[in-house]
Amino acid sequence: MHRKGFSFLQKRERRGKTITGLPAADMRDRNMKNVLVVSIGFLSLFTAYGGLQSLQSSLNAEQGMGVTSLSVIYASIILSSMFLPPILIKNIGCKWTIVAGMACYVTYSFGNLYPGWYTLIPTSIILGMGGSPLWSAKCTLLTISGNLQAPKDNKKAADVINKYFGIFFLIFQSSGVWGNLMSSLIFGSDTNITQISEEDLQYCGAGVCVEIGANTTTKRPAQDLVWTLVGSYIGVGVLAMIIVAVFLDNIDRDQAREFRGNREPFWSTFLATFTLLKDKRLVILIPLTMYSGFEQSFLSGEYTKNYVTCALGIHFVGYTMICFAATNSLCSFVFGRLAEYTGRAALFCLAAVTNLACILALLFWRPHPDQLPVFFVFPALWGLADAVWQTQTNSLYGVLFPRHKEAAFANYRMWESLGFVIAFAYSTFICLDTKLYILLGVLILSMVTYLWVEYQEHMNPTLPVEEGIY
């Protein structure tokens, strides 16, 4: 089997392209081009989706419709994670799995043109079904590229994969800047912005637990402004599909063709995600992976609504999330390169301490418009921590499970999405201070389990993938 894989990688693909037969410089250019193409595609796609997600709890606040749609999205991602990523990636390859997943995301933007239960819920389900294959294919592609490039540069695969994930998240996380800038500029032109009274401010923050929904400061912008914003989001989403379809190399096309030709039993592929759970390292990483969903959902769902929208108004949501995205983007790039010198554990500890400080501060802070700079400090610190959770956790999965990438990243997306679902599900039922205590508890558990896995990996390192074998 190894010989077969190696001989495939030494021959030229059709259309004059090669995999490992290229000179080192050309190989580096090709791998870097693919990393940049997929990064720019995700930048464009999540300029739209990231902006919509940040606004759902405020824009579609009626009967908790926006938060419910987010819950449905991540519940669908859990379902699709159970079986779709290995099936799609192995049959049609990473490139076309990414294009198909992007198309599912664009449908959600269409659903927000006329938001209602009958439009948001079906499109949320469609997005969720495409979400796990999209992310799993992206992670698989970056891992393949890193494994191919490492021997050419005489480096460890883990270091090259870390660098590629750092570059990806540098570009990808900046999508939050552009998406939220669009919403801020468009909604900021609203001539009928509600003035928030001192009486209304008593409902902001975690200090007073009142009936959920008692906050009355959330006002939906004019419908024509919403249409302008969503129409712009649809445009950049379609652009993302075109960029990937035209410029991304189909680097695992021949593997997909060979897989289809071998007609491997359907159930072995269908159950690949669950089969990998036999590895205790994956099971012990579940709290860390779920925490990623908890912390992201808190910032986009709770912080934007109960702190920013409540005290400043919905037109400030975009500006605060720009601060988060910009910090996240820069730190993702820095940490992706810094990990080679500091190791993962130091960065994870930095993120944990940063999140811990923010959670404790949010428990006692009473937001007020006079404290405008403070509203931006929390997203900036949160962005620094999230940069670690995203780049290093993705890289960790690629390093620990190099021979089962599709199933590993499907598990990552499944458990992260479960964190989103749980957080969004209890969003409308419990008080904000309770949510912060839950976040704190999951953070502590995540670090304990992560450090155990890191210790086991230090004592028994995962063998690197042989050159020429994906």
Side-chain angles (χ1 to χ4, degrees):
M1 181 176 178
H2 286 10
R3 287 184 178 179
K4 188 174 184 179
F6 187 78
S7 62
F8 154 70
L9 290 170
Q10 293 300 319
K11 69 181 182 180
R12 292 185 175 272
E13 284 184 329
R14 293 177 183 177
R15 302 180 186 176
K17 296 178 182 177
T18 67
I19 300 291
T20 60
L22 287 172
D26 293 342
M27 188 69 187
R28 185 181 303 109
D29 291 342
R30 181 183 180 190
N31 285 324
M32 184 58 69
K33 187 210 77 170
N34 286 328
V35 171
L36 292 176
V37 168
V38 77
S39 301
I40 293 171
F42 271 66
L43 163 65
S44 184
L45 181 70
F46 282 85
T47 290
Y49 175 68
L52 281 176
Q53 178 176 270
S54 299
L55 291 168
Q56 284 302 312
S57 62
S58 302
L59 190 61
N60 297 315
E62 184 180 356
Q63 298 180 316
M65 183 168 60
V67 173
T68 301
S69 77
L70 294 176
S71 298
V72 171
I73 286 173
Y74 291 102
S76 299
I77 289 178
I78 293 174
L79 181 61
S80 70
S81 298
M82 295 177 180
F83 61 93
L84 274 182
I87 292 175
L88 287 178
I89 295 171
K90 286 181 177 295
N91 277 281
I92 65 175
C94 293
K95 173 178 179 175
W96 297 112
T97 300
I98 291 173
V99 173
M102 287 179 165
C104 294
Y105 272 73
V106 173
T107 63
Y108 186 66
S109 295
F110 279 101
N112 275 268
L113 281 173
Y114 295 94
W117 295 106
Y118 59 91
T119 56
L120 282 184
I121 301 306
T123 54
S124 296
I125 294 173
I126 294 172
L127 187 157
M129 296 306 289
S132 184
L134 172 72
W135 281 92
S136 297
K138 179 272 299 179
C139 292
T140 300
L141 185 139
L142 293 183
T143 303
I144 289 174
S145 299
N147 283 328
L148 290 172
Q149 188 59 45
K152 302 294 182 182
D153 292 345
N154 294 318
K155 291 185 176 181
K156 293 189 296 184
D159 292 336
V160 180
I161 293 171
N162 252 327
K163 183 179 76 171
Y164 283 172
F165 272 103
I167 293 171
F168 169 81
F169 280 104
L170 166 70
I171 298 172
F172 162 71
Q173 294 290 10
S174 67
S175 63
V177 174
W178 312 117
N180 287 298
L181 181 61
M182 289 168 63
S183 68
S184 297
L185 293 176
I186 292 173
F187 288 162
S189 64
D190 194 347
T191 57
N192 189 25
I193 296 177
T194 302
Q195 297 298 314
I196 300 172
S197 66
E198 290 293 331
E199 182 180 355
D200 290 329
L201 289 173
Q202 68 178 306
Y203 299 118
C204 302
V208 181
C209 187
V210 296
E211 181 182 353
I212 304 299
N215 179 345
T216 59
T217 63
T218 301
K219 179 182 178 296
R220 199 172 192 275
Q223 185 60 45
D224 60 332
L225 295 179
V226 175
W227 284 336
T228 300
L229 178 66
V230 175
S232 301
Y233 284 162
I234 291 172
V236 295
V238 172
L239 177 63
M241 295 172 60
I242 295 173
I243 290 172
V244 173
V246 174
F247 297 107
L248 185 64
D249 289 333
N250 199 357
I251 64 174
D252 59 344
R253 178 180 59 189
D254 283 13
Q255 284 94 325
R257 184 184 296 117
E258 181 179 339
F259 176 83
R260 293 194 299 270
N262 288 339
R263 298 190 179 278
E264 188 171 315
F266 172 77
W267 286 106
S268 66
T269 307
F270 183 85
L271 297 175
T273 302
F274 296 103
T275 302
L276 195 58
L277 287 171
K278 294 178 181 178
D279 191 323
K280 65 179 180 181
R281 297 174 302 170
L282 182 62
V283 175
I284 295 172
L285 280 176
I286 288 176
L288 174 67
T289 313
M290 288 182 62
Y291 178 74
S292 177
F294 274 95
E295 58 93 8
Q296 290 180 76
S297 63
F298 179 85
L299 188 74
S300 62
E302 305 300 338
Y303 183 77
T304 56
K305 180 180 180 181
N306 293 294
Y307 291 89
V308 181
T309 300
C310 182
L312 300 177
I314 192 173
H315 54 291
F316 266 96
V317 169
Y319 292 121
T320 56
M321 294 303 288
I322 286 172
C323 188
F324 164 78
T327 306
N328 201 327
S329 176
L330 292 174
C331 289
S332 293
F333 179 74
V334 172
F335 294 155
R337 291 181 175 270
L338 194 60
E340 182 177 351
Y341 306 100
T342 64
R344 290 183 299 267
L347 296 179
F348 272 111
C349 290
L350 172 64
V353 170
T354 302
N355 267 168
L356 175 64
C358 288
I359 292 169
L360 294 177
L362 287 171
L363 279 168
F364 299 101
W365 180 43
R366 302 296 174 263
H368 193 280
D370 293 341
Q371 305 164 329
L372 186 61
V374 183
F375 288 89
F376 295 88
V377 171
F378 285 105
L381 292 174
W382 213 273
L384 181 149
D386 187 66
V388 176
W389 304 128
Q390 299 306 312
T391 59
Q392 298 308 307
T393 308
N394 275 280
S395 176
L396 180 62
Y397 269 72
V399 171
L400 294 180
F401 313 104
R403 295 162 182 80
H404 306 282
K405 296 176 296 298
E406 299 89 349
F409 289 122
N411 269 284
Y412 173 86
R413 190 53 48 185
M414 179 170 68
W415 296 112
E416 183 189 49
S417 299
L418 181 60
F420 274 106
V421 169
I422 294 173
F424 285 133
Y426 64 53
S427 176
T428 56
F429 299 105
I430 62 177
C431 299
L432 184 59
D433 56 351
T434 305
K435 298 170 190 175
L436 284 165
Y437 286 123
I438 291 174
L439 193 63
L440 180 60
V442 178
L443 172 61
I444 294 172
L445 176 62
S446 299
M447 287 306 296
V448 171
T449 55
Y450 159 72
L451 290 173
W452 186 90
V453 171
E454 199 68 74
Y455 173 75
Q456 292 297 315
E457 176 65 11
H458 175 72
M459 298 302 294
N460 301 288
T462 301
L463 294 176
V465 178
E466 301 86 349
E467 183 177 357
I469 302 298
Y470 284 170

